Amino acid sequence: LYSDMNIDDQYTNDFQKKCQNEIHAIVEKHKKDKSIDNLDAEELLYGEVDATIDEINRCILEEGFYTVPPHTWNGFAVLGFKKFACNSQMPIWEYRDKYGQNQGEHAIWLHANYYIHLEMKANKIPCIENNSIKNENFFDFFKKYLRDIIANYLFDYIRIDYVDHIFDNILNEGEKEIPLTEMLTPNEILEIINYLRDTWPGLGMQADHLGKDVTMYAKAGFNLITNSDVSLEYNSVNLRKIFGNLINAKQECKSCRMLWAIDTHDMAHPLFLGKELALREGKMGIVVRFFLSRFANIGRERQPKYEVIGNQDLSFGIHRANNRPESLSWKSNQEVLEIYHEIETQYLLMREDLNESKLVQFTVTNNVASFLVCHPSLLKGWIGVVPVPIVGNNKEIETITLDNIFAFKDRGIPILKSIICYEISESDHFNRTSIEHLCILNFCNTSKKIELTFSNKGLMLIEVNMKYY
């Protein structure tokens, strides 16, 4: 729009610097008028700073400056310019893929983008011969910015969003990566992470990516990614998948692990599940996820637990609150909160034993799921029982048989001790009870098996000890 200049001419570094200098002058004038040295200073009153920033933004818009949104995951370089919408007073951008097809439906609706790579052209593959495509000023700023944030707030990990396509959006020219979009490349992310770890060697870096491809993300410096199990709806079919993944867990990569996620901040994103986990799973589903995260997710292959604010008492709305000036929907469910803390307290008491133990068996029926954990001494273990959402009115009594894998002698008998025991009513209330009220346990000396016959729906953790006489 500027003096009928072509959009690609406006994207040149010389013109971008001209824009930056003019915007910088506007910002400095408003800061001087308000006697503000630093708009990020913590001691400033938020209302005063917000009002000043609003004034600056209005002035910048009046001068005709607009930030360029990020491209779509399957686009090239930066956006083309389509037209200016006079009714809304904003540019309409052109999102194209390599076939020239419109990709506007994949736009992620962010307001501004960093100037990461130089001399990008609208919807075109960047020039491979350009060896100065990296904007060193940006990287110098961004690394120091993150360093200062960590030092100020003592964060022990950082999560980087929107990294699902970082390996798709590059061309490899020998050992060199050519970025195809205005997005950080794997090597650029690694550079930032290595810079931060020079000061904090133990800093966690989480890729906000649902999957199991830990080896690939380790190459970019990440040591955490989010297990895709979090996206599975709580039912008997998916419980079999989750238990199967746990019992067959192998640590494929020493430098990167999957997280056992109770939730993520954006489960309610319309492009994903469109519903917060607390609303999708309800009280029973959330409690079961917490229970499995501590007593089935165990051993040397254990996935670190990842949870977000609110799940512990069925609050929700973190996705909306992350994008709008609103609070979470606080539910303060006392029942769930107490069970959460009971699970955490028991886990702390058992943690050392569980770190050495192994999930050896599981059974999932229409109404109940159980799993067996064995300590390497073979002298003790644990039986976990969780409810399965019942389809229809199926209330039949079920019997589950678990193989006895403990050290067994002719005169050995198991001593069973209730650690956590709740009956779950038809209205999904959790009531403390005894093992005997939920099920009958039989230990068969002949078959060396443990049988559980359930009469009521419940949540249980039972300690099994072998006694000799």
Side-chain angles (χ1 to χ4, degrees):
L1 289 177
Y2 180 80
S3 298
D4 294 324
M5 184 184 287
N6 181 282
I7 188 66
D8 283 337
D9 292 335
Q10 294 186 48
Y11 281 144
T12 61
N13 193 40
D14 288 343
F15 188 79
Q16 289 298 307
K17 284 183 177 179
K18 180 179 185 299
C19 294
Q20 290 168 5
N21 290 336
E22 293 186 19
I23 291 172
H24 180 71
I26 293 171
V27 174
E28 291 303 308
K29 180 181 183 303
H30 279 79
K31 285 166 59 179
K32 184 177 180 180
D33 291 345
K34 299 291 184 179
S35 299
I36 296 175
D37 293 327
N38 180 6
L39 290 170
D40 293 324
E42 289 189 349
E43 63 272 12
L44 293 174
L45 295 173
Y46 283 112
E48 179 185 353
V49 174
D50 287 345
T52 302
I53 291 175
D54 284 342
E55 288 180 18
I56 292 171
N57 286 337
R58 283 196 297 272
C59 184
I60 289 172
L61 283 175
E62 288 169 3
E63 292 295 321
F65 292 103
Y66 291 88
T67 53
V68 182
H71 214 313
T72 55
W73 66 268
N74 53 353
F76 281 121
V78 283
L79 298 175
F81 171 74
K82 188 179 291 185
K83 63 179 180 179
F84 187 82
C86 295
N87 57 339
S88 55
Q89 289 295 297
M90 60 184 294
I92 304 299
W93 300 100
E94 189 174 46
Y95 300 83
R96 299 286 176 184
D97 63 12
K98 62 182 178 181
Y99 304 108
Q101 298 297 312
N102 177 32
Q103 296 298 311
E105 63 181 312
H106 297 298
I108 58 173
W109 317 302
L110 295 181
H111 301 295
N113 199 20
Y114 286 118
Y115 185 33
I116 301 175
H117 302 116
L118 308 174
E119 308 291 349
M120 289 277 188
K121 296 185 182 298
N123 292 316
K124 296 183 183 70
I125 297 177
C127 179
I128 295 177
E129 287 75 26
N130 187 352
N131 293 320
S132 60
I133 200 168
K134 184 177 172 186
N135 186 353
E136 296 293 350
N137 288 335
F138 160 76
F139 284 92
D140 183 59
F141 154 76
F142 194 57
K143 289 187 291 188
K144 291 177 180 176
Y145 170 77
L146 290 177
R147 179 198 63 190
D148 294 344
I149 289 290
I150 296 170
N152 192 32
Y153 295 101
L154 300 179
F155 292 136
D156 55 10
Y157 91 104
I158 294 175
R159 189 189 69 206
I160 303 182
D161 288 5
Y162 201 55
V163 293
D164 286 303
H165 295 281
I166 58 174
F167 301 100
D168 303 333
N169 287 319
I170 57 172
L171 289 175
N172 289 305
E173 187 77 8
E175 295 184 357
K176 184 180 179 183
E177 291 177 346
I178 307 297
L180 295 179
T181 64
E182 190 69 310
M183 178 191 293
L184 291 170
T185 71
N187 282 346
E188 289 168 349
I189 292 174
L190 179 62
E191 174 191 331
I192 293 169
I193 292 174
N194 286 341
Y195 173 85
L196 297 174
R197 285 191 179 139
D198 283 342
T199 304
W200 298 281
L203 183 68
M205 297 296 299
Q206 178 190 345
D208 189 34
H209 166 75
L210 296 185
K212 302 181 186 299
D213 39 357
V214 290
T215 302
M216 182 178 289
Y217 280 85
K219 294 177 181 177
F222 292 103
N223 51 14
L224 299 166
I225 69 172
T226 311
N227 191 333
S228 54
D229 286 354
V230 68
S231 64
L232 298 178
E233 185 179 357
Y234 172 48
N235 56 41
S236 59
V237 173
N238 288 333
L239 275 173
R240 290 187 184 95
K241 290 181 183 178
I242 291 171
F243 279 121
N245 291 336
L246 288 172
I247 208 166
N248 296 312
K250 299 294 179 187
Q251 190 176 342
E252 298 177 8
C253 178
K254 291 185 178 180
S255 58
C256 187
R257 282 198 169 192
M258 290 185 295
L259 291 161
W260 176 281
I262 303 298
D263 198 352
T264 68
H265 77 291
D266 53 4
M267 283 287 103
H269 195 296
L271 291 179
F272 302 138
L273 301 181
K275 202 171 187 179
E276 284 91 348
L277 207 67
L279 294 177
R280 188 188 84 183
E281 307 286 51
K283 184 191 301 183
M284 194 166 71
I286 286 287
V287 169
V288 168
R289 285 182 179 270
F290 279 124
F291 187 86
L292 297 181
S293 76
R294 289 314 198 189
F295 305 123
N297 170 33
I298 61 167
R300 298 185 182 278
E301 310 298 332
R302 177 183 176 271
Q303 301 165 32
K305 187 173 78 160
Y306 175 68
E307 56 185 296
V308 298
I309 188 172
N311 287 153
Q312 301 87 342
D313 64 0
L314 291 189
S315 296
F316 59 87
I318 194 167
H319 174 66
R320 294 195 310 275
N322 194 42
N323 293 277
R324 304 187 189 113
E326 65 178 79
S327 179
L328 273 68
S329 298
W330 298 105
K331 295 303 176 185
S332 302
N333 188 291
Q334 189 72 16
E335 194 175 18
V336 175
L337 189 65
E338 288 179 359
I339 296 173
Y340 167 80
H341 281 289
E342 182 174 356
I343 289 170
E344 291 300 303
T345 299
Q346 287 298 331
Y347 170 72
L348 289 176
L349 296 173
M350 299 165 58
R351 181 168 59 183
E352 290 186 13
D353 280 340
L354 290 174
N355 285 343
E356 299 299 320
S357 299
K358 187 176 181 181
L359 177 65
V360 295
Q361 186 182 349
F362 69 91
T363 305
V364 181
T365 70
N366 292 329
N367 298 325
V368 68
S370 65
F371 58 92
L372 184 60
V373 170
C374 184
H375 190 267
S377 68
L378 299 182
L379 294 176
K380 65 178 175 181
W382 298 269
I383 298 171
V385 175
V386 298
V388 172
I390 298 173
V391 179
N393 296 314
N394 183 5
K395 298 181 181 180
E396 63 185 32
I397 295 176
E398 292 187 297
T399 298
I400 285 179
T401 302
L402 299 169
D403 294 331
N404 174 39
I405 44 72
F406 302 110
F408 189 88
K409 295 183 179 179
D410 291 340
R411 293 186 300 169
I413 59 171
I415 303 299
L416 305 175
K417 174 186 174 184
S418 172
I419 298 180
I420 295 176
C421 196
Y422 285 92
E423 178 190 9
I424 303 174
S425 68
E426 291 188 10
S427 56
D428 279 357
H429 284 294
F430 288 74
N431 304 307
R432 291 182 187 277
T433 188
S434 62
I435 298 175
E436 294 76 17
H437 183 72
L438 290 180
C439 67
I440 300 172
L441 285 92
N442 291 313
F443 181 76
C444 181
N445 278 318
T446 305
S447 64
K448 303 179 182 178
K449 295 181 184 294
I450 300 172
E451 285 187 349
L452 297 87
T453 302
F454 294 90
S455 53
N456 293 294
K457 183 170 68 173
L459 180 84
M460 285 195 302
L461 183 66
I462 304 166
E463 184 174 281
V464 183
N465 282 283
M466 296 307 297
K467 178 180 179 181
Y468 301 102
Y469 60 90

